[in-house]
Amino acid sequence: KYLLSVETTLIRKGTKSEAALSIPVKLVFVRNTEAKGRKAKSYVVLLSTDTTLSEEEIIQLYKRRWSIEVFFKVCKSYLRFAKESRGVSYDSMRAYIAIEFTRYLMLVWLQRMNIDERTMGELFYRYAEELKEPDWLTALAELLRVITESSSENFESFVAVVTKQVETFIAQLPLSVMNKLQARECHLNESAA
């Protein structure tokens, strides 16, 4: 959530050799969640030169900034991004950057293959299969089974109440949904026979 959003113009005064520059910007004021103590009510101002973006989009783009910062920190610290190449031509700098980014991608891939639990091959796929959502008929049947098992007292009246509630719910559904339910029920009956 943001506190305030303002569209304004950023003006840079020009020198004798440069012309003055005015850029339309959007300022989004967001509460600083990392501040503590007396600064707990402070805020951060996010500036965007793309005024067509909504406030939520600007905040989301700012949140992505952290992964980009980590990427450049790794490149500068571990891969010596700014210190290995002394090329001055545009082509040599582009080639160097491409090689550095490829090195980074290889390191991240190796880390993912060796450390990350999500890459444990067949085990990952088996767990993923277990987490698939059941279709609504299976979920409803399981829910009714749990409810009936837990309500051992006065079982017949409980089943009657639940059946009536389900029938009332189905009767209030839109006609298109009811037709799909009836078609599904016919299909299940045909496959069972």
Side-chain angles (χ1 to χ4, degrees), residues 145-168:
R145 184 188 64 77
V146 169
I147 290 173
T148 54
E149 286 177 2
S150 64
S151 63
S152 58
E153 300 173 3
N154 206 354
F155 179 73
E156 290 80 17
S157 64
F158 177 76
V159 170
V161 169
V162 170
T163 305
K164 183 174 180 180
Q165 288 293 328
V166 169
E167 288 172 354
T168 305

Side-chain angles (χ1 to χ4, degrees), residues 50-133:
D50 187 356
T51 57
T52 61
L53 292 174
S54 69
E55 289 78 9
E56 289 79 15
E57 290 172 320
I58 292 171
I59 293 168
Q60 288 301 320
L61 288 171
Y62 183 77
K63 285 181 181 179
R64 291 185 201 153
R65 184 181 66 99
W66 181 247
S67 60
I68 296 169
E69 295 289 336
V70 169
F71 165 72
F72 280 111
K73 173 81 171 155
V74 168
C75 284
K76 287 170 76 177
S77 299
Y78 297 113
L79 302 177
R80 299 176 44 161
F81 183 59
K83 298 176 183 168
E84 280 187 347
S85 175
R86 298 288 181 216
V88 290
S89 72
Y90 177 73
D91 289 335
S92 68
M93 285 191 280
R94 275 186 59 190
Y96 174 66
I97 290 172
I99 290 169
E100 288 297 314
F101 288 178
T102 305
R103 287 172 61 194
Y104 177 80
L105 288 173
M106 284 195 267
L107 288 174
V108 169
W109 180 76
L110 285 171
Q111 179 186 16
R112 176 101 186 240
M113 295 306 291
N114 294 326
I115 298 171
D116 199 343
E117 291 85 13
R118 292 176 291 181
T119 58
M120 295 176 68
E122 189 65 28
L123 183 63
F124 169 73
Y125 289 114
R126 287 189 183 179
Y127 279 123
E129 286 175 5
E130 286 183 19
L131 294 176
K132 286 183 181 173
E133 290 186 20

